[in-house]
Amino acid sequence: MNEFKDAVAGAEGLVTDAAHSASREYAMARRNIQGAFDEAISRLDGARRAVRTGALDAADATDGYVRHHPWQAIGTAALAGLAVGFLLRRP
């Protein structure tokens, strides 16, 4: 996200520069802006894929644990439910 913010800030700076430039320089600034946005989109897509892969791996690991240790999973869920119920019941 920091890289995306930096890319957007850089693009905003380029837009400001483009507003003060001649038409040739404006075209070059426009290409630079487009490149910055394309790079930001590419980085966000990579981050999205990494988060998705991590979430799927965590879900698979949880599923495997519950299948191999069902009673421990039931006990853990019951304790968590009791703890949440106790905390919500308190004034």
Side-chain angles (χ1 to χ4, degrees), residues 25-87:
E25 291 173 348
Y26 175 76
M28 187 171 68
R30 185 170 183 224
R31 282 192 301 270
N32 289 340
I33 291 168
Q34 186 64 46
F37 280 126
D38 289 345
E39 183 179 343
I41 288 171
S42 175
R43 287 181 180 178
L44 282 176
D45 189 47
R48 179 193 58 82
R49 277 189 254 130
V51 168
R52 183 176 187 270
T53 300
L56 289 175
D57 290 345
D60 287 342
T62 302
D63 181 60
Y65 180 81
V66 170
R67 288 182 188 274
H68 288 95
H69 306 286
W71 291 110
Q72 289 89 343
I74 291 170
T76 302
L79 286 175
L82 286 172
V84 169
F86 178 74
L87 291 174

